[in-house]
Amino acid sequence: MTTIFDGRMGLTFGQIYLMTGGVDWPDVDDARRGQVNGLCGGAQSGRLLLITGLHTGEVGLRVERLDEEPALDDTWEEIVEVSFEPVGPELVLHGLDAGMYVSTELPVVSYRARYSAADMDKGKEVDVVSADEPVVDRYLLQLWPAEPAPDVIRKQTSATASYWHQEH
């Protein structure tokens, strides 16, 4: 396993982006078009859109690259999966209107991306978390090599996730 990022991710409008190969920012609607889940948009090549409960501030985020599919961790309240196709090895990870946090390389193969969340409703309620306050909602993005497959909602418990699943 390779940890790509593990820490606080700054963002606005509840959006985090993972982009490869120098592609433009994902479009919020196009990133999720045709999907059943609304939390992890993977419909545009080379990029992922990650939705959070928190509107503005910092969330806890961990991003991992694995060699094979990890066991499903049912302690997370929300779990969705999408296919992800990098368009180049350069990977950039950052929150909307936040400074770039990660710039690294990712092998160019087909991936499955599992996006897990905890405390989305609390993040939505709090709305803003400043850098000197503890994070409220936490997220995990795991990537492993896999053939493309339709997106899926593995677990959904919060009103915030339900809203986003219906909003795309």
Side-chain angles (χ1 to χ4, degrees):
M1 177 187 63
T2 301
T3 301
I4 296 171
F5 180 83
D6 189 9
R8 296 171 69 107
M9 176 62 66
L11 56 88
T12 60
F13 294 100
Q15 298 172 30
I16 299 170
Y17 300 103
L18 184 144
M19 301 175 293
T20 63
V23 297
D24 291 332
W25 299 68
D27 176 83
V28 174
D29 294 325
D30 290 343
R32 300 172 297 152
R33 193 170 313 283
Q35 295 188 170
V36 297
N37 100 83
L39 298 181
C40 184
Q44 293 179 293
S45 295
R47 61 200 107 187
L48 292 176
L49 166 67
L50 309 175
I51 299 293
T52 68
L54 190 74
H55 182 278
T56 301
E58 295 184 344
V59 297
L61 176 67
R62 181 175 174 90
V63 180
E64 302 171 341
R65 184 176 56 82
L66 303 113
D67 294 328
E68 59 187 36
E69 180 177 357
L72 198 64
D73 182 352
D74 201 39
T75 62
W76 291 94
E77 296 166 353
E78 319 301 331
I79 304 170
V80 299
E81 291 181 8
V82 301
S83 289
F84 174 59
E85 299 279 342
V87 295
E90 307 85 16
L91 178 138
V92 175
L93 173 72
H94 60 92
L96 179 62
D97 293 336
M100 185 172 52
Y101 280 83
V102 174
S103 179
T104 188
E105 290 200 356
L106 183 71
V108 180
V109 300
S110 294
Y111 290 93
R112 193 68 174 164
R114 180 178 294 155
Y115 184 51
S116 304
D119 298 316
M120 286 191 85
D121 283 345
K122 288 180 188 173
K124 176 82 173 155
E125 180 182 326
V126 169
D127 196 46
V128 177
V129 170
S130 64
D132 61 344
E133 296 177 310
V135 298
V136 177
D137 43 346
R138 299 177 300 108
Y139 301 87
L140 172 64
L141 178 65
Q142 297 170 302
L143 304 168
W144 66 92
E147 292 298 316
D151 74 305
V152 64
I153 300 169
R154 297 248 181 245
K155 184 177 181 184
Q156 186 256 302
T157 66
S158 72
T160 303
S162 177
Y163 167 83
W164 284 108
H165 292 323
Q166 296 171 34
E167 185 59 26
H168 63 285

